[in-house]
Amino acid sequence: MTSDSVIVVGAGVAGLATALRLAPLPVTLLSAAPLGEETATAWAQGGIAAAIGADDAPAFHAADTLGAGAGLSDPAVARRVAEAGPGLVDWLCGLGLAFDRGPDGTLALGLEAAHSRRRIVKAGGDATGAAVLRTLARAVSSCPSVTVVVGRATALMQDGEGRVTGLVARTDRGRVALPARGVVLATGGLGGLYRSTTNPAGAFGSGLVLAARAGAVLRDVEFVQFHPTAIALATEGPTEGPLPLATEALRGEGAVLIDAGGHRVMAGITGAELAPRDVVARAIALRTGHGEAVFLDARRLDVARRFPTVTALCRAAGLDPAAEPIPVRPAAHYHMGGIRVDGRGRSSLPGLWACGEVAATGLHGANRLASNSLLEAMAFAASIAADIQGTEGRAAGPGRAPEETHAPEALPEIRALMEVQVGLVRDAAGLKPAVARLAALARAGSAAATAGLLVAAAALGREESRGAHWRADHPGQREPRATEITLSQALATADAVRDRPMPVSLQDAR
């Protein structure tokens, strides 16, 4: 590669779409595994939200996004992304993606929680993510301007002014420095920090940590969405991997949540099964926390035909969703916060952009609206590519990167700590020791602990309950505000917790 290349880190929908949109600029796509493997995109059972129905409009889609975001979504971003939806569906169709269609040939539209219209476009029933990934990976493989390198980024390179000038990666050639005119992080989320998660096992917030260690400003990192209906496996142990997911579309088509006696779990709750995810997740957790079992009853649906992925996952676990309710529980699913970016995807560090789940664009606010994630990634991929293409090329000059550390990750401890003390329901009594312990591990070089520290420190600073962030000791709400934090501020919060009763205040972005 040459120093005028753009490096895109991550090969999920965000990274692949960005690489394609950047053509014909030379792109090095750094993927942790061969294309199509180890990405959360491939696991996305939902779909792509797009206002294409006769009774729908982008304004309605944007309004639903703002409603789910609990006061923190940016109206301008919500409007822009919603308006991009129909065109992005057309773009995927042009790349050869076969979406599900009705008998008349029009796109079949599904309904999911907190949407006021049927607007979820799907492929393969409940295998949309895998279909999108295959389509984009095929297009990238045939794109002459993209070079795929299998490896993992370990540090960003910066010049004396802090500009990002490339990165250092571990590949089959060992440790290599890759200079670039710009770096786009598209590394996904951090659900793997939790013991119960629907994310790939390696989703520990690697991109978030790369940016944080380089001094980037992060936004709203306390907001971690827990999917209400992960399939509760009877064989699950304390350190086992990801839980399979029973897609939200099941509830959109009429599946209901029941207890062991067959009584409705969501009875009397506004929105019932189609309430925002944080509401449903807490209602289930209230039961499971007291030792009760909760089930998703989809027996009246033709699950095998309409939801083949869920059916296969259930059967692999010894369950028959057509004959028995599916045992479910909440699990870490999506990170709404991330690297703070503007409308062009630019971070606070010159030369660094972020796209997809690793970025905080202002779209999701405190609680992501279902099926907005693939949409957001593709919308911002186009904006980032246009921004880079419209900027005069600046070849990378000399850069420096921090020395690598090889600290033990202590993942079982971190995942258990995050689950119990920085999970679905939080309080200062749990967050303070979590911040202290995670900071100690982060200072020893643990990347996973660094990501966890950022979440825990921001959660300690937000003394209210909003969306996916629920403080048992602060159940009320304050004026809506975004929070911004850097790694140095998170470490200062840990020092304050250790030395003084009150944490360092986080910088508010009002």
Side-chain angles (χ1 to χ4, degrees):
M1 64 172 291
T2 62
S3 60
D4 63 344
S5 294
V6 178
I7 297 177
V8 177
V9 187
V13 62
L16 293 172
T18 302
L20 284 173
R21 296 289 197 177
L22 280 166
L25 288 181
V27 172
T28 297
L29 180 66
L30 186 65
S31 175
L35 291 188
E37 299 180 15
E38 296 186 16
T39 72
T41 297
W43 297 16
Q45 294 178 11
I48 300 168
I52 58 179
D55 65 340
D56 205 358
F60 298 147
H61 184 181
D64 290 344
T65 298
L66 295 176
L72 290 188
S73 294
D74 185 321
V77 174
R79 182 175 61 253
R80 182 162 66 92
V81 172
E83 289 172 348
L88 291 169
V89 171
D90 290 342
W91 180 64
L92 289 172
C93 288
L95 292 176
L97 180 56
F99 286 108
D100 296 345
R101 296 181 180 271
D104 61 355
T106 60
L107 290 170
L109 301 176
L111 179 67
E112 292 183 350
H115 285 273
S116 61
R117 304 286 194 280
R118 284 187 169 271
R119 64 168 67 99
I120 312 304
V121 182
K122 297 178 175 293
D126 53 357
T128 308
V132 171
L133 191 68
R134 284 194 303 270
T135 300
L136 295 178
R138 184 172 59 246
V140 164
S141 296
S142 61
C143 183
S145 60
V146 180
T147 300
V148 179
V149 174
V150 176
R152 294 183 181 274
T154 60
L156 295 174
M157 295 165 54
Q158 295 172 277
D159 64 18
E161 299 175 351
R163 179 182 180 83
V164 173
T165 59
L167 55 78
V168 177
R170 279 279 172 188
T171 71
D172 58 4
R173 293 183 290 148
R175 186 175 187 265
V176 296
L178 304 175
R181 62 183 278 184
V183 174
V184 182
L185 295 178
T187 50
L190 46 67
L193 292 175
Y194 291 84
R195 192 172 61 198
S196 299
T197 180
T198 66
N199 286 189
F204 296 129
S206 61
L208 192 76
V209 173
L210 286 173
R213 285 175 170 171
V217 176
L218 314 176
R219 174 178 171 176
D220 289 341
V221 287
E222 64 269 34
F223 292 109
V224 179
Q225 185 175 77
F226 289 77
H227 199 290
T229 54
I231 300 173
L233 301 178
T235 58
E236 183 194 354
T239 60
E240 290 209 6
L243 295 174
L245 182 66
T247 176
E248 190 164 278
L250 286 162
R251 286 177 280 134
E253 298 303 323
V256 296
L257 292 161
I258 60 173
D259 60 20
H263 304 294
R264 294 279 297 274
V265 170
M266 299 301 293
I269 298 176
T270 302
E273 275 73 15
L274 295 183
R277 283 181 175 174
D278 63 295
V279 175
V280 182
R282 283 194 296 273
I284 295 174
L286 184 63
R287 302 294 191 97
T288 58
H290 290 110
E292 298 181 48
V294 174
F295 304 86
L296 183 65
D297 189 355
R299 288 175 290 182
R300 74 179 189 85
L301 306 179
D302 187 356
V303 181
R305 179 181 65 84
R306 300 175 66 187
F307 301 97
T309 302
V310 171
T311 300
L313 292 170
C314 286
R315 288 176 176 169
L319 303 168
D320 181 1
E324 57 186 320
I326 305 167
V328 295
R329 55 179 293 184
H333 183 62
Y334 191 89
H335 190 207
M336 276 80 67
I339 301 165
R340 189 195 72 189
V341 298
D342 63 14
R344 296 169 293 183
R346 293 183 178 184
S347 77
S348 61
L349 301 177
L352 181 68
W353 289 257
C355 186
E357 191 173 352
V358 72
T361 66
L363 178 68
H364 304 308
N367 189 38
R368 177 177 66 90
L369 182 66
S371 289
N372 264 359
S373 55
L374 298 180
L375 172 67
E376 177 202 38
M378 291 187 293
F380 270 82
S383 298
I384 289 168
D387 187 44
I388 295 174
Q389 289 167 334
T391 302
E392 183 178 352
R394 178 176 173 180
R400 54 179 173 79
E403 290 297 317
E404 284 190 69
T405 57
H406 300 281
E409 287 294 346
L411 287 176
E413 178 189 358
I414 292 169
R415 298 180 79 214
L417 183 154
M418 294 293 291
E419 181 99 355
V420 174
Q421 295 171 260
V422 199
L424 188 60
V425 178
R426 304 154 172 180
D427 58 30
L431 289 169
K432 288 181 178 181
V435 166
R437 178 57 180 156
L438 290 166
L441 292 170
R443 284 182 163 125
S446 168
T450 300
L453 168 65
L454 291 162
V455 175
L460 182 59
R462 184 177 286 276
E463 295 182 336
E464 65 162 351
S465 292
R466 183 179 297 277
H469 170 73
W470 193 265
R471 287 282 298 262
D473 52 349
H474 294 283
Q477 287 191 350
R478 297 183 174 185
E479 280 295 309
R481 61 181 178 88
T483 55
E484 295 182 355
I485 189 171
T486 62
L487 179 55
S488 62
Q489 288 175 320
L491 290 169
T493 295
D495 291 339
V497 165
R498 183 191 62 209
D499 299 334
R500 300 189 300 276
M502 293 299 293
V504 172
S505 297
L506 302 182
Q507 176 186 351
D508 291 348
R510 299 183 185 275

